[in-house]
Amino acid sequence: MNVLPNLDRIVPTVARAAAEQVVSSAEMLTSLSGFLRRQYQFILVVIAACLCLGVGYYMATPSTYTATASLIIDSRKNQLFQQQSVLGDIPIDSASVESQVQIIKSETIALAVIKDLRLTDDSEFAGSPGLIGTVTGWIGDVLGSDRSRSEFDKLRRTTESFANRLTVRRVGLTYIIEIGFRSLSPDRAAQIANAVADAYVVDQLDAKYKATKRATSWLQDRIKELREQASAAERAVVNFKAQNNIVESGGRLMNEQQLAELNSQMVVAKTQVSEAKARLDRIEAVLLADNPESTVDGTVADTLNSQVVSKLRSQYLDLATREADWSARYGRNHLAAVNLRNQMAGIRSSIMDELRRLAESYKSDLEIANQRAASIEKQVDQAVSASRVTNEAQVSLRDLESKSQSYRALHDNFLQRYMESVQQQSFPITEARIITQASRPLKPSAPKLSIVLSIAGAAGLLFGFGLGRLRDLSDRVFRTTDEVEAQLQAHCLAILPRIEPQLNLPAPTGPRGPRQVVPDGGLYWHVVHNPFSGFTESVRAIKVAADIAARNGAGRVIGFTSSLPNEGKSTVAAGFAELLAQSGARTILIDGDLRNPSLTRGLMPEAEVGVLEVLSGKRDMSQVMWREPETGLDMLPAVIPSRHAQTSDVLASAAMRNLIDDLRKRYDYVVVDLSPLAPVVDVRTTTGLIDSYVFVVEWGRTKTDVVQHAMNSARHLREQLLGVVLNKAELKQMSRYGYGGYYRNDYYRRYGYSE
């Protein structure tokens, strides 16, 4: 297998996933830090408010004291007076301990303590009657209502107050239970805690005594019933044996013993038959054989075990040995060898006669053995028949005996339990015992200032983060370049800080020519008077973007617009045009807001004619144009003597197109201050005139949905958009969004920037 190509694909994938995870973590941390920078003041205010509420609660709440008593549920029961619980030894587990906790919290224990300590008369628990109680009692007397009802209400109020002040908990996984009680008096708290522990122990003893008493009464009736049932069952067993002739000896039935003995005799008889038949078969096989030598075979003597045959065989073997020796010496036909063979033949004849006699004897033995086996087998069959009858009766007998034994065992067991119950009734013992008595607490348990302040601080932090997040989500405005690029899908050219008019500038001197613009301390001239400010540097960023767009063939006619009025588009347009003129570019600034020519009112308030007269042919360009002599910026005002309803037609007219084409030839940049998008539709008719648009958005004020709606309503403008400018940014607040300080820190001051 080629593993290396797979590794080449896997390693970059893993590395890319790890890098994405790191980037995601970094983005999360950046988002969190930005959130804290924006909302930390609000979060601190919420925390401070919660802390003040906590201090107020601490000062208004009276001090209470908590006393604690401890008891243990002992799993090792005292065996001094009892051997076994009548109700059974139930092991103590976690569920049992938790059950005891709930018993201590029960109303039974509470009522016992309330009654014992007369807590219904204590104003801390039952409450002081006061004026309302007096009036209620008087009305009850007049109406004749039942006084017990008021006593019942007082008891219920006391019980509820008691339950609210009582705390019972298990210590870890142990069998120890802590009982705490909270009261305004430390002595009262200790007294009630000890009373609850004592009441629980007494309740356990009383419960055991009552349970034992009920068990004793029930056991008496049950023992009497079982005694009668056991006696009746035993009598039934005796009567059944007598009726069915069932006799036992040594723990066994007589017919069973007889059948066992007959079986043993039958096995012996069958063994004898087999042996007799085997001997008979062997001797008959020898007699039927034609070979004379088989009569003197060694196995015959060994099998038959006959002394006569054995003696004759020994003689035969001696003669055979001598015959073989003489035949070898003198030859087979020698007279002595012939005599020996004759003697051997006589011995073989004697052996055959003896074998025939033995065969007759074996036949007799076989017949005797068969008769004996048949007799024993007949006796076994008779015994089996009798045993079957007895066994059928034995089934019923065993049922009666089992029933009798069960009744007797139950009687004995219940009798033993009865004796134990009587013993426990005399000496009731509980598993619970008090190990620590509650003592008078030395200091109050609540309220604790540290806990109150911790809870208040934690709540304040939680509420602060939650409300801060809600403020963040509800803050649907533009504050960062990332928000602009993410929501508008447009490049953010610059963030312009908020500027203020300069009131202490010296008045201009020298003669003033016709249609000459004189700079003053207004916002429009901030770029001229403060070339090293952050505002001017941000306007330079717009100029750089415009220069790059112009080199790329995007055109040099730039329009400035916004979503709503008063977002500062005219100020930005004037500053941009002044900066272009200062750099040596031939620039003209046109007031294209024919509905509200604020640029004309701010820069050329004395103008009487403007762009409308040029478009209508009443005046020439040179007769209406104004100039700023310091920068060389030309300005074309818009003078509206009365409200004009067809301004969009004017901007879309052929005369306006011819004017813009003429200005393209005469100037390097044509800057047009247009009307806002939302109130009027004038800007939408200029997409054929304007090469690039700069969209001005007021920082931290204009809603994002307003800007998005305005830009979506002019889709051609979006296609020709040079970028977005955030205007009127607050430097102090910008630091919360990761900006702000860069206009004021030492690094920027080294380059001559001023606030």
Side-chain angles (χ1 to χ4, degrees):
M1 295 178 64
N2 192 359
V3 181
L4 292 179
N6 294 331
L7 290 177
D8 293 339
R9 291 193 300 270
I10 293 173
V11 171
T13 303
V14 175
R16 184 164 56 254
E20 291 176 355
Q21 186 175 3
V22 172
V23 171
S24 178
S25 301
E27 291 177 352
M28 185 180 299
L29 291 176
T30 303
S31 176
L32 179 60
S33 62
F35 167 74
L36 293 177
R37 283 194 303 269
R38 294 189 297 272
Q39 303 294 339
Y40 77 94
Q41 292 181 345
F42 178 77
I43 294 175
L44 292 178
V45 170
V46 174
I47 293 175
C50 290
L51 290 176
C52 292
L53 292 176
V55 172
Y57 168 79
Y58 176 79
M59 297 178 65
T61 303
S63 298
T64 57
Y65 298 84
T66 301
T68 304
S70 300
L71 57 85
I72 185 173
I73 309 299
D74 197 352
S75 59
R76 297 172 299 177
K77 299 181 180 180
N78 194 338
Q79 301 293 332
L80 179 61
F81 299 107
Q82 58 184 15
Q83 297 298 325
Q84 185 180 9
S85 174
V86 175
L87 302 179
D89 289 331
I90 302 175
I92 299 177
D93 54 4
S94 297
S96 300
V97 178
E98 294 297 336
S99 300
Q100 301 306 313
V101 170
Q102 297 303 319
I103 291 175
I104 298 175
K105 292 181 179 180
S106 66
E107 190 172 304
T108 301
I109 303 298
L111 291 175
V113 176
I114 292 171
K115 181 179 179 180
D116 184 45
L117 299 181
R118 305 176 67 86
L119 297 182
T120 53
D121 299 332
D122 194 334
S123 60
E124 180 182 354
F125 299 94
S128 178
L131 180 60
I132 297 177
T134 303
V135 173
T136 303
W138 179 78
I139 293 175
D141 292 338
V142 172
L143 298 178
S145 61
D146 189 2
R147 297 290 297 177
S148 62
R149 183 175 181 181
S150 62
E151 292 296 331
F152 176 78
D153 293 340
K154 182 189 296 186
L155 179 61
R156 297 311 305 170
R157 289 196 300 269
T158 304
T159 305
E160 292 177 2
S161 177
F162 185 91
N164 293 332
R165 296 164 183 266
L166 178 66
T167 57
V168 183
R169 70 179 187 90
R170 180 185 182 186
V171 180
L173 299 177
T174 65
Y175 293 152
I176 297 176
I177 298 176
E178 287 186 351
I179 302 173
F181 195 84
R182 177 170 46 86
S183 176
L184 298 176
S185 171
D187 296 327
R188 195 64 162 170
Q191 180 187 20
I192 296 176
N194 290 326
V196 171
D198 294 337
Y200 169 71
V201 174
V202 171
D203 179 75
Q204 292 295 299
L205 291 173
D206 185 63
K208 281 184 171 290
Y209 175 79
K210 291 180 179 179
T212 305
K213 186 176 181 180
R214 288 193 298 269
T216 302
S217 177
W218 180 81
L219 284 173
Q220 288 178 347
D221 298 336
R222 186 58 178 159
I223 288 172
K224 181 179 180 181
E225 180 182 354
L226 289 174
R227 185 185 301 114
E228 295 175 354
Q229 291 176 348
S231 300
E234 290 174 353
R235 286 194 298 271
V237 170
V238 173
N239 294 334
F240 186 83
K241 287 183 177 180
Q243 293 174 1
N244 292 274
N245 296 322
I246 299 175
V247 181
E248 295 182 355
S249 175
R252 297 180 62 187
L253 297 176
M254 295 294 291
N255 56 352
E256 291 179 353
Q257 295 181 3
Q258 182 181 5
L259 182 59
E261 293 175 357
L262 290 175
N263 284 331
S264 301
Q265 294 177 9
M266 179 177 287
V267 171
V268 174
K270 288 184 177 181
T271 302
Q272 292 175 354
V273 170
S274 299
E275 291 177 353
K277 190 174 184 306
R279 287 195 299 269
L280 180 61
D281 292 342
R282 175 58 181 164
I283 198 169
E284 288 179 348
V286 172
L287 293 175
L288 294 175
D290 295 335
N291 188 4
E293 296 297 329
S294 63
T295 59
V296 293
D297 194 308
T299 58
V300 174
D302 295 336
T303 303
L304 301 179
N305 197 15
S306 174
Q307 294 181 357
V308 175
V309 174
S310 298
K311 184 176 180 180
L312 292 174
R313 180 176 174 276
S314 298
Q315 293 176 3
Y316 179 85
L317 292 176
D318 290 339
L319 293 175
T321 302
R322 290 170 58 190
E323 187 274 335
D325 182 37
W326 282 27
S327 295
R329 289 181 181 181
Y330 306 109
R332 182 172 179 82
N333 296 323
H334 191 273
L335 182 59
V338 172
N339 290 331
L340 290 174
R341 283 195 293 272
N342 292 331
Q343 292 178 8
M344 292 171 60
I347 292 175
R348 284 197 300 271
S349 177
S350 298
I351 290 175
M352 291 299 294
D353 293 338
E354 182 63 22
L355 289 177
R356 292 187 187 95
R357 187 186 64 81
L358 289 174
E360 293 297 328
S361 176
Y362 288 163
K363 288 180 181 179
S364 177
D365 292 340
L366 178 60
E367 292 178 358
I368 293 172
N370 285 329
Q371 292 178 358
R372 183 180 179 187
S375 176
I376 295 175
E377 186 175 358
K378 183 178 181 181
Q379 294 178 6
V380 168
D381 292 338
Q382 294 176 354
V384 168
S385 299
S387 179
R388 289 175 181 173
V389 176
T390 305
N391 289 337
E392 292 177 358
Q394 192 75 6
V395 173
S396 301
L397 178 62
R398 290 194 186 97
D399 184 37
L400 293 175
E401 289 178 343
S402 175
K403 187 176 181 181
S404 174
Q405 293 172 1
S406 299
Y407 282 134
R408 181 57 62 184
L410 285 174
H411 174 267
D412 295 340
N413 187 20
F414 273 77
L415 183 60
Q416 181 182 0
R417 292 298 181 94
Y418 174 74
M419 299 303 296
E420 294 172 359
S421 174
V422 173
Q423 186 181 48
Q424 291 180 20
Q425 189 174 355
S426 302
F427 302 99
I429 299 174
T430 178
E431 290 82 4
R433 59 186 177 89
I434 300 174
I435 57 176
T436 303
Q437 291 281 343
S439 59
R440 182 181 185 273
L442 300 178
K443 57 182 180 180
S445 59
K448 292 184 178 180
L449 182 60
S450 59
I451 296 178
V452 171
L453 293 181
S454 299
I455 295 175
L461 186 63
L462 180 63
F463 283 116
F465 268 88
L467 295 177
R469 183 58 179 167
L470 290 177
R471 290 188 65 195
D472 242 16
L473 295 176
S474 62
D475 191 18
R476 303 289 296 171
V477 294
F478 293 101
R479 298 184 187 273
T480 65
T481 58
D482 294 337
E483 293 175 351
V484 172
E485 294 174 357
Q487 299 187 38
L488 300 181
Q489 304 298 318
H491 180 58
C492 185
L493 301 177
I495 299 179
L496 304 179
R498 182 182 292 276
I499 55 177
E500 301 295 337
Q502 295 177 304
L503 304 177
N504 298 325
L505 292 177
T509 60
R512 177 181 177 185
R515 295 189 307 280
Q516 180 178 337
V517 180
V518 179
D520 56 12
L523 299 178
Y524 294 106
W525 305 102
H526 187 88
V527 173
V528 176
H529 298 310
N530 298 278
F532 297 105
S533 67
F535 180 87
T536 305
E537 187 64 22
S538 298
V539 175
R540 289 192 182 97
I542 305 174
K543 176 183 177 298
V544 170
D547 292 340
I548 295 174
R551 287 197 298 270
N552 294 333
R556 296 180 178 273
V557 180
I558 303 173
F560 283 79
T561 184
S562 62
S563 300
L564 302 172
N566 300 323
E567 293 194 64
K569 62 176 180 58
S570 300
T571 303
V572 177
F576 176 70
E578 292 165 359
L579 190 64
L580 290 173
Q582 281 183 338
S583 65
R586 294 174 299 168
T587 308
I588 182 172
L589 175 62
I590 302 175
D591 190 353
D593 190 354
L594 303 182
R595 296 286 188 95
N596 182 26
S598 59
L599 189 63
T600 300
R601 289 194 298 268
L603 295 176
M604 301 161 285
E606 299 175 358
E608 297 179 356
V609 292
V611 64
L612 292 179
E613 284 73 16
V614 174
L615 294 176
S616 62
K618 297 179 180 180
R619 297 293 179 94
D620 187 64
M621 178 74 71
S622 59
Q623 296 176 346
V624 299
M625 188 175 297
W626 289 62
R627 176 179 285 269
E628 198 279 307
E630 183 175 349
T631 61
L633 175 65
D634 291 337
M635 302 181 187
L636 186 59
V639 179
I640 309 297
S642 61
R643 297 181 63 181
H644 199 291
Q646 305 300 326
T647 54
S648 59
D649 296 337
V650 174
L651 294 175
S653 63
M656 187 66 182
R657 182 180 300 277
N658 294 333
L659 175 63
I660 296 298
D661 291 340
D662 181 59
L663 294 177
R664 288 178 191 270
K665 300 174 183 178
R666 297 169 56 182
Y667 292 93
D668 297 327
Y669 285 97
V670 178
V671 180
V672 184
D673 179 27
L674 300 170
S675 59
L677 276 172
V680 293
V681 298
D682 294 2
V683 180
R684 305 179 193 179
T685 64
T686 63
T687 54
L689 305 175
I690 306 299
D691 298 331
S692 300
Y693 291 91
V694 175
F695 201 90
V696 179
V697 178
E698 185 172 356
W699 183 91
R701 184 172 181 179
T702 306
K703 299 297 182 181
T704 58
D705 54 350
V706 174
V707 178
Q708 290 173 345
H709 177 73
M711 294 188 68
N712 292 333
S713 64
R715 299 188 181 275
H716 294 289
L717 182 145
R718 179 184 288 275
E719 296 173 358
Q720 299 172 232
L721 187 64
L722 180 64
V724 178
V725 174
L726 293 179
N727 191 29
K728 300 182 183 181
E730 297 289 347
L731 296 182
K732 294 182 179 180
Q733 296 183 18
M734 285 176 64
S735 60
R736 304 176 187 175
Y737 299 87
Y739 299 88
Y742 71 170
Y743 284 135
R744 301 195 299 268
N745 60 33
D746 295 335
Y747 297 105
Y748 289 90
R749 291 197 181 102
R750 294 177 185 177
Y751 289 89
Y753 294 130
S754 60
E755 295 186 18

